[in-house]
Amino acid sequence: MAQITVDLSEAVELASVPPGVYPARISGAEVKATKAGTGNYIKWEMTIFGAEGELTRFNNSKVWHNTMTSGKGAGMLKQFVKAATGEELSGGLDTDTLLGKEVSLTLAEGKDQHGQPSGYPEVKAVKALAAPF
């Protein structure tokens, strides 16, 4: 194991993005298999931008949202694509075509498997981004 020297003199505490509505850009997508191996989901990475007032410190914060690619849960994927593109999803999807698209995220306080605050925001809704962003 390597021994390293750590300098924390300029480190800042990262704060969880508080509940609210934020403009965000889709900045990444990764297709993953479910733990049960019964299908796939897409892990979307979104970057907050354009927050104002005291919330400007959360600009450039990352938020993640998962959408199933089949079954009943795929309805969330349909809503996600519609919010990002304004078009209905039909057939296949190239996730790269959504990179850079802007959406409006409604965030709530995330919970862990025991119902306790997780410290990470949970995406409750993804909608089309309205002007002026």
Side-chain angles (χ1 to χ4, degrees):
M1 185 178 298
Q3 182 67 27
I4 62 169
T5 301
V6 178
D7 177 6
L8 301 176
S9 62
E10 295 182 40
V12 293
E13 286 293 319
L14 296 178
S16 179
V17 178
V21 179
Y22 298 87
R25 282 188 192 92
I26 300 170
S27 50
E30 181 180 1
V31 178
K32 302 184 103 175
T34 62
K35 288 181 183 177
T38 57
N40 293 321
Y41 66 96
I42 303 170
K43 181 177 182 177
W44 299 99
E45 176 189 275
M46 293 169 284
T47 305
I48 293 174
F49 74 95
E52 298 177 344
E54 68 180 45
L55 298 176
T56 58
R57 67 189 176 120
F58 296 107
N59 286 334
N60 296 317
S61 293
K62 303 291 185 189
V63 177
W64 290 268
H65 180 55
N66 297 334
T67 58
M68 295 299 298
T69 61
S70 62
K72 293 179 182 179
M76 295 297 291
L77 178 58
K78 284 179 63 173
Q79 291 175 358
F80 188 86
V81 171
K82 176 83 172 183
T85 66
E87 299 175 10
E88 295 290 334
L89 175 62
S90 62
L93 172 66
D94 178 354
T95 58
D96 286 350
T97 63
L98 273 70
L99 298 180
K101 300 288 186 188
E102 297 175 349
V103 295
S104 175
L105 300 179
T106 301
L107 303 179
E109 181 178 39
K111 306 279 186 207
D112 67 14
Q113 62 189 7
H114 305 290
Q116 300 300 312
S118 68
Y120 298 100
E122 178 182 347
V123 176
K124 286 296 192 179
V126 179
K127 296 184 179 178
L129 185 65
F133 294 104

